Amino acid sequence: MRRAHGPRLKIVAMLRNPADRLWSAYFSYAQFRGQYGEGEAGMRAYFDEQSAGFNLCVQDYDRRTCAMRLESLGQKFQEIFYHCDQLVKTMYSVFVEEYILAFGRPQLLLLRSEDYMDPAKTSGAVLTVLDFVGVRVELSEVDTALAKKMKSPDKRGKLAANHPRSWTMSVALRADMSAFYRPFNEDLARMSGDPAFADWPVLRPTTPVGEAHRR
């Protein structure tokens, strides 16, 4: 990318709460549900096996090496279902570090998708991106433009009612996934200089026990 676009390329990355991102990936790809099962029980089996496989690697190698080269480090890692691909993709700090090394920290803007999705913060997030890429506008202009693009509450409600069945995440599973990703989130907070990346907002419904619901 550096060779194609040059070292002054500006990169904007919108990152989601890691637990929520991994949860969505599990329910989005049929191969995982086919292997581990539907619902929270399937997700729990998937996370436990994948995280155990990755942690086994970390006993012998550093986290970056395991994230970047897992399947090349031995037969036992090759045999992990899909080589922990979605687990690794959510280790944002590993990849952010590579972009920083290639382009420099000033060329990279990191945003939390939860801030963009919060109606009270959407305009501010958009304004931050525009300012980063050198487009100077007033906040009121952003508000006006977004008002024209946003769906009405009634329209959003009708769309939500048509979404397929999903599941709430249990408190216990969220806690375990958050604990697994904590070292990566702390690294991300340090790299970005933004402590917010160590403490992500929770938007996906969380209940004492995972259960079916309509998103």
Side-chain angles (χ1 to χ4, degrees), residues 11-28:
I11 302 169
V12 178
M14 184 175 290
L15 308 175
R16 187 181 182 189
N17 183 315
D20 291 328
R21 192 262 159 205
L22 186 63
W23 174 274
S24 291
Y26 181 81
F27 287 101
S28 295

Side-chain angles (χ1 to χ4, degrees), residues 118-140:
D118 182 345
K121 299 179 179 180
T122 302
S123 293
V126 172
L127 190 64
T128 297
V129 173
L130 292 175
D131 183 66
F132 177 69
V133 298
V135 178
R136 303 291 180 256
V137 297
E138 297 295 328
L139 182 60
S140 59

